[in-house]
Amino acid sequence: MTRAFNFSAGPAALPEPVLRQVQEELLEWRGERASVMEVSHRGKAFVACAAEAERDLRELAGVPDDYAVLFLQGGATLLAALLPMNLAGPEAGADYVLTGHWGEKALDNARVSLRARVAASAKADGYDHVPDPAGWDLDPDAAYVHITSNETIHGVEFRQVPDTGDVPLVVDASSNLLSEPLDVRRFGVIYGGAQKNLGPSGLAVAIVRRDLLGRHGRLLPPIFELLNQVKNDSMFNTPPTFAWYVLGLVLKWMKAEGGLAALGERNRRKAERLYAVIDGSGGFYRNPVRPEARSRMNVPFTLPDPALDPVFLKEAEAASLVGLKGHRAVGGMRASIYNAMPEAGVAALADFMADFARRHG
Amino acid sequence: MTRAFNFSAGPAALPEPVLRQVQEELLEWRGERASVMEVSHRGKAFVACAAEAERDLRELAGVPDDYAVLFLQGGATLLAALLPMNLAGPEAGADYVLTGHWGEKALDNARVSLRARVAASAKADGYDHVPDPAGWDLDPDAAYVHITSNETIHGVEFRQVPDTGDVPLVVDASSNLLSEPLDVRRFGVIYGGAQKNLGPSGLAVAIVRRDLLGRHGRLLPPIFELLNQVKNDSMFNTPPTFAWYVLGLVLKWMKAEGGLAALGERNRRKAERLYAVIDGSGGFYRNPVRPEARSRMNVPFTLPDPALDPVFLKEAEAASLVGLKGHRAVGGMRASIYNAMPEAGVAALADFMADFARRHG
């Protein structure tokens, strides 16, 4: 057997050098005479490993000191429920901009906790674009504005950070976090699951402007209070140590690859290559998203006849291209091309797609 | 380097054959041409792996069909907050029996959600025993009674399941889950973090009588609603796939070792051996817990003089015995001897302790 190019939407491909290091030191880690999975999260070795990951993330993303960086369990979905109760009281308003499935879910998880409302939505158009911010129905008194910077299922990505004035912008960046340079100061909260660009599933990252926490005036169970995680370096309870460790290795790999600028360029090239095949296929492949909002991370596309889908998947697997089946909500195919997907993988997929279209078109 | 005997309280030692298998198949798992960390949780291979783990857990513990088995993120602490809101409405009462630190924490995380009260507590005695159930101040109308079956810090374990009549018994079994046979029918909910007896951190297990869920009458964020996890086989959101996979391997190892009866016998022998050294040390080592409530999993003990603590730890490490430093709340030492700690490790520690006492007594 050999490893395939894995286009899974998440959990997703990890950098092979990271996996090799994990394999190498799986039974004995850093002189601990134990696996990293077996050592106390409060021991010197793991505390140092955890702090390194935070330092590397701060360096890669340019996170200012007045932002906390949290490593948490529960995924982006749990944070979608916890953030509303941590950012404001029950009478506060919050504006949600919907550009796909995950924005809807975030709204569902916020409704109970405050007056969440839809400020803009592309649902009526099948989530094929990002609504023009000039037309958003924003409440200037809202506690925050929530967006999903990349919709993993619909393949819709914000290519510009909207200006929400003094109202903090809260972004679920699960599927494009650290895939290109960003200006953290434009955001109140950036959060996301690790399992796309950053590591295995079971770990979420949150970058939170410190002054936004602890002002909600609610009685919360202590484990819901994000300020407790800030005060305890994300160890208010036992953290997912292995996932945190792997994320730390991925961050070091990202630095070695040249950081977010280099990764961003590479990710742009990868996406352009696939969209060029789609747009150059004479309508054989179709991607419904308006060009200016097409995701650099998740490229959904359909074939001319759904009966061809299983043929495409089978031939792709034979060509060592796996994880291409689209989400059931939109059908067709989806190529997820996060940081760890090499350009060679995208090139192989592009060549395969062009060849498949020639043979079946 | 060689691996040491690791007495860490959690994350804790894993069976070495499990670690070797993880290492072996880390880059290519089950013909997927990808790491288990990289495959979709909704793909056939991982769904099969997840279902196998549930089947093995049900077989090992004898879980009846009218109980759901959940694999969740957030640890026992998150469940300590979510269970109260899932089991009853805000006007309901719930009785908490406190035998140590974790019972207090569970109560703290319940108070906001319902009328949680202390039905019995050993706090005034420094948590050195389990209060006699005959003296518990139980409310017959309570939604549930909550106990912590093993207190990891104080080393206090329930050796009998208390009879709470028609009121469901909810037990945080984080540190003795599946360490001996149990009668699931005696419980309404059994929950706990995996990182002691069952796997890496970042995964919690809950065994829940199905009829107890969905009757609370609250509006909850969907991700707080445990019934959503039941309906979606613990994949209402992306699960911690790697931790789930490792837990599955640990369960198979447990079956190969003879199941809970054999492990329970072995665990009993291991604990007896350490307590025999402590009690036979002429007062050199002391364990403050009353004999009938001494934990089989966590054996805390003190030396005659705290100045000896660093000497003990240093010599123990030189003898390949690691992770013995006690929790700061009680001081001294703690030997955590979960399922994966072999009898040879306990024998080595017992011999070291006896020798150390001879040399320093």
Side-chain angles (χ1 to χ4, degrees):
Chain A
M1 271 199 313
T2 48
R3 286 169 51 79
F5 290 120
N6 174 14
F7 296 90
S8 181
L14 291 165
E16 193 167 308
V18 166
L19 291 172
R20 293 204 181 277
Q21 182 172 347
V22 172
Q23 183 177 45
E24 167 81 21
E25 62 196 20
L26 195 87
L27 272 83
E28 298 194 31
W29 176 71
R30 289 195 181 184
E32 292 293 294
R33 294 184 285 175
S35 174
V36 64
M37 279 183 263
E38 300 176 300
V39 302
S40 171
H41 55 296
R42 305 214 183 272
K44 272 183 200 163
F46 190 79
V47 167
C49 169
E52 265 171 65
E54 179 176 338
R55 220 160 35 234
D56 286 336
L57 193 151
R58 284 184 179 277
E59 184 185 324
L60 275 165
V63 181
D65 286 346
D66 54 330
Y67 285 71
V69 176
L70 295 173
F71 300 90
L72 302 168
Q73 292 188 62
T77 310
L78 184 66
L79 279 167
L82 292 181
L83 282 166
M85 43 184 86
N86 274 272
L87 294 174
E91 299 304 319
D95 285 338
Y96 280 70
V97 176
L98 307 186
T99 53
H101 174 87
W102 294 106
E104 291 182 17
K105 292 288 170 195
L107 177 63
D108 286 348
N109 275 294
R111 281 189 196 284
V112 179
S113 300
L114 39 58
R115 300 182 188 277
R117 55 192 278 284
V118 177
S121 172
K123 186 169 189 173
D125 297 307
Y127 290 128
D128 68 350
H129 70 287
V130 172
D132 182 354
W136 294 4
D137 173 29
L138 293 179
D139 169 7
D141 296 323
Y144 61 86
V145 177
H146 185 283
I147 64 170
T148 309
S149 56
N150 184 66
E151 284 282 354
T152 320
I153 294 174
H154 290 88
V156 174
E157 186 173 20
F158 276 80
R159 298 304 305 137
Q160 257 132 33
V161 180
D163 183 359
T164 54
D166 289 338
V167 180
L169 185 59
V170 173
V171 55
D172 173 358
S174 288
S175 49
N176 65 356
L177 190 56
L178 305 197
S179 68
E180 65 180 346
L182 75 166
D183 180 359
V184 172
R185 289 217 175 275
R186 302 286 304 276
F187 302 92
V189 180
I190 305 168
Y191 72 101
Q195 70 272 14
K196 319 286 189 182
N197 280 298
L198 299 177
S201 65
L203 184 65
V205 171
I207 303 170
V208 187
R209 222 177 73 202
R210 294 180 194 271
D211 66 305
L212 297 177
L213 293 178
R215 305 190 311 189
H216 53 74
R218 303 168 188 257
L219 275 174
L220 293 179
I223 190 67
F224 286 8
E225 186 76 65
L226 291 177
L227 203 54
N228 284 331
Q229 294 289 7
V230 173
K231 288 177 183 165
N232 289 277
D233 296 327
S234 303
M235 295 197 194
F236 184 65
N237 65 328
T238 309
T241 53
F242 181 79
W244 196 338
Y245 147 79
V246 176
L247 175 134
L249 296 180
V250 172
L251 294 174
K252 287 195 189 302
W253 172 83
M254 288 168 65
K255 285 170 70 177
E257 293 289 303
L260 299 194
L263 288 166
E265 270 308 296
R266 188 196 294 175
N267 287 331
R268 186 185 55 73
R269 285 195 301 271
K270 283 151 55 182
E272 278 176 3
R273 178 130 194 198
L274 289 188
Y275 288 116
V277 171
I278 292 167
D279 294 341
S281 70
F284 185 86
Y285 299 114
R286 288 181 190 274
N287 169 286
V289 181
R290 296 187 202 167
E292 70 279 9
R294 280 175 164 181
S295 168
R296 298 163 309 118
M297 298 281 108
N298 310 98
V299 181
F301 58 91
T302 52
L303 308 185
D305 179 354
L308 274 176
D309 289 359
V311 182
F312 183 96
L313 288 169
K314 197 175 167 189
E315 291 190 14
E317 283 198 22
S320 280
L321 307 165
V322 304
L324 284 162
K325 191 175 177 184
H327 191 278
R328 61 188 181 282
V330 296
M333 305 296 142
R334 173 174 50 175
S336 296
I337 49 176
Y338 304 119
N339 285 338
M341 172 58 64
E343 294 194 82
V346 170
L349 175 60
D351 290 348
F352 170 81
M353 286 172 68
D355 180 61
F356 188 89
R358 264 192 301 276
R359 290 185 289 110
H360 294 276
Chain B
M1 271 198 313
T2 49
R3 285 170 50 80
F5 290 120
N6 174 15
F7 296 90
S8 181
L14 291 165
E16 193 167 308
V18 166
L19 292 173
R20 292 202 182 278
Q21 183 172 346
V22 172
Q23 183 176 46
E24 168 81 21
E25 63 196 19
L26 196 85
L27 272 83
E28 298 193 31
W29 176 72
R30 288 194 181 182
E32 291 293 295
R33 295 184 285 174
S35 174
V36 64
M37 280 183 262
E38 299 176 300
V39 302
S40 171
H41 54 296
R42 305 214 184 273
K44 272 183 197 162
F46 190 80
V47 167
C49 170
E52 264 172 65
E54 178 176 338
R55 221 162 33 235
D56 286 335
L57 193 152
R58 285 184 178 276
E59 184 185 325
L60 275 164
V63 181
D65 287 344
D66 53 330
Y67 286 71
V69 176
L70 295 173
F71 300 90
L72 302 168
Q73 291 188 62
T77 310
L78 184 65
L79 279 167
L82 292 182
L83 282 167
M85 40 184 89
N86 274 273
L87 294 174
E91 299 304 319
D95 285 339
Y96 279 71
V97 176
L98 307 186
T99 54
H101 175 87
W102 295 106
E104 291 182 17
K105 292 288 170 194
L107 177 61
D108 286 348
N109 276 295
R111 281 189 196 283
V112 178
S113 300
L114 38 58
R115 299 180 189 279
R117 56 191 278 282
V118 177
S121 172
K123 185 169 192 174
D125 297 308
Y127 290 127
D128 68 349
H129 70 288
V130 172
D132 182 353
W136 294 3
D137 173 28
L138 294 179
D139 169 6
D141 295 322
Y144 61 86
V145 177
H146 184 283
I147 65 169
T148 309
S149 56
N150 184 67
E151 284 283 355
T152 320
I153 294 174
H154 290 87
V156 174
E157 187 172 20
F158 276 80
R159 299 303 305 135
Q160 257 130 35
V161 179
D163 183 0
T164 53
D166 289 338
V167 181
L169 185 59
V170 174
V171 55
D172 173 359
S174 289
S175 50
N176 67 355
L177 190 57
L178 306 196
S179 68
E180 64 181 348
L182 76 165
D183 180 358
V184 172
R185 290 218 174 274
R186 302 287 304 276
F187 302 92
V189 180
I190 305 167
Y191 72 101
Q195 71 272 16
K196 321 286 189 180
N197 281 297
L198 299 177
S201 65
L203 183 67
V205 171
I207 303 170
V208 187
R209 223 177 73 202
R210 295 179 193 272
D211 65 305
L212 297 177
L213 293 178
R215 305 189 311 188
H216 53 76
R218 303 168 189 257
L219 275 175
L220 293 178
I223 190 67
F224 286 8
E225 186 76 66
L226 292 177
L227 204 52
N228 285 331
Q229 295 287 8
V230 172
K231 288 176 183 166
N232 288 276
D233 296 327
S234 301
M235 295 197 194
F236 184 65
N237 65 329
T238 310
T241 52
F242 181 80
W244 196 337
Y245 149 78
V246 176
L247 176 134
L249 296 181
V250 172
L251 295 173
K252 288 195 187 301
W253 172 84
M254 289 169 65
K255 286 170 71 177
E257 293 290 301
L260 299 192
L263 288 165
E265 270 307 296
R266 188 197 291 176
N267 288 331
R268 186 186 55 73
R269 286 195 301 270
K270 282 152 54 182
E272 279 177 3
R273 178 129 193 198
L274 289 188
Y275 288 115
V277 171
I278 291 167
D279 294 341
S281 70
F284 185 87
Y285 300 114
R286 286 179 191 277
N287 169 286
V289 181
R290 297 185 200 166
E292 70 278 9
R294 282 175 161 178
S295 169
R296 296 164 309 118
M297 298 280 108
N298 311 96
V299 182
F301 57 93
T302 52
L303 308 185
D305 179 353
L308 274 176
D309 288 359
V311 184
F312 183 95
L313 288 169
K314 197 176 167 190
E315 291 190 14
E317 283 198 22
S320 280
L321 306 164
V322 304
L324 285 161
K325 192 174 177 184
H327 191 277
R328 60 190 183 282
V330 297
M333 305 296 141
R334 174 174 49 176
S336 296
I337 49 176
Y338 304 118
N339 285 340
M341 172 57 64
E343 293 195 83
V346 170
L349 174 59
D351 291 347
F352 170 81
M353 287 172 67
D355 181 60
F356 187 89
R358 263 192 302 276
R359 289 185 287 110
H360 294 274

